[in-house]
Amino acid sequence: MQPFVYNGLPSRVVFGQGTLSRLSEELELLGCSRALVLSTPQQQQQAQEVLQQLGDKGIDVYAKAAMHTPVDITEDALERVKSLDVDCTVAIGGGSTIGLGKAIALRTGLPQVVIPTTYAGSEMTPILGETRDGEKTTQRTLDVLPETVIYDVDLTLTLPAGMSGTSGINAIAHAVEALYARDGNPVIALMAEEGIAALGRSLPVIANDLTNIEARADALYGAWLCGACLGSVGMSLHHKLCHTLGGSFNLPHAETHTIVLPYAVAYNAPAAPDAMARISRALGCEDAATGLYDLGRSVGAPSALSELGFSVEDVERATEIATRNPYWNPRDVEANGIRRLLSDAQSGHRPKMDGGGEQ
């Protein structure tokens, strides 16, 4: 066995059904009593219900969280934090809301409790991506890692089929890249394969039966594992591409990850055969890239970046940004290959080895 380094992340995880009822208790364990509840505008009502549940431990709701964590929104939220003398945040929602909580924590040191309602997995990572002036940058620091994550399966039962599928495949992307990460290790590889398998078997079931408790629990379990993988090891080409497309072209996060993932995997396949074997085994398919592509089709996810408003004319600029400061990747990041990869993702051709597409 090759030598390795494994770093465990110091997060407390509470998993099950009805676990939201333990929120006040978890705040007490953190020594907090003046919580600001965070959400997007779309989940403001849910945030208000959490605030009511907290009683005198809840101070207010801030419901302006937005995709890709714009810095101007963070700065606005900080004014609310300061004016209310907040001593912690409670984020309920997906990656947009969790990102805002992390951005506040980075600037204030305030503890965070996160209540995920999607399968994005960012609640388990010490990674923050922020957007300023049309470009998204990321950083990794334990300062943004939530102290407590409450997974309540009941909260995912109303997650629509489309968002269930795309946020679940977004989570799978974390585990996929963990399998060929430069700082990968056997423990993370086990978690990654198990996370991919859990989501791979549960997402098609959810697409046909939104209230299937067993599938919902399996998917949330898989999302936790995949998020923990991303939190423990580095990111590669797939995440660089998605950060480029999200930050510079304002494409939606989960849908972009879902579309790009099969093509990024096809690009890296020649340089990461062991990772490809694990992905294929987890999904029960012969080829990792096409297996991921087919999973997207089985849950009704969009298959082409063109469906999100990304045009053929955008490919060249995206290639330039993505290759300017590339993340470490098992295969060299070459402009011609990335251009072809993005072109195929734009059109939605079924992927094949080397990042190409076939009609």
Side-chain angles (χ1 to χ4, degrees), residues 176-177 179-180 237 261-280 286-290 292 329-332 341 351-356:
V176 164
E177 293 227 299
L179 286 171
Y180 49 66
L237 173 64
L261 183 60
Y263 302 99
V265 166
Y267 183 92
N268 279 332
D274 291 343
M276 299 304 125
R278 282 185 176 270
I279 297 165
S280 298
E286 293 186 2
D287 174 72
T290 55
L292 289 164
N329 195 60
R331 179 181 172 186
D332 288 345
L341 186 164
K352 62 180 181 180
M353 185 74 77
D354 198 34

Side-chain angles (χ1 to χ4, degrees), residues 160-174:
M163 182 55 71
S164 296
T166 55
S167 71
I169 297 175
N170 176 20
I172 287 175
H174 307 331

Side-chain angles (χ1 to χ4, degrees), residues 15-21 46 115-117 119 150-159 210-211 213 216-217 220:
F15 189 102
Q17 284 185 257
T19 49
L20 181 59
S21 64
Q46 197 169 26
I115 308 162
T117 59
Y119 304 129
I150 298 176
Y151 288 103
D152 189 334
V153 177
D154 293 339
L155 297 179
T156 66
L157 296 178
T158 56
L159 188 65
L210 291 177
T211 60
I213 290 288
R216 287 291 192 181
L220 199 59

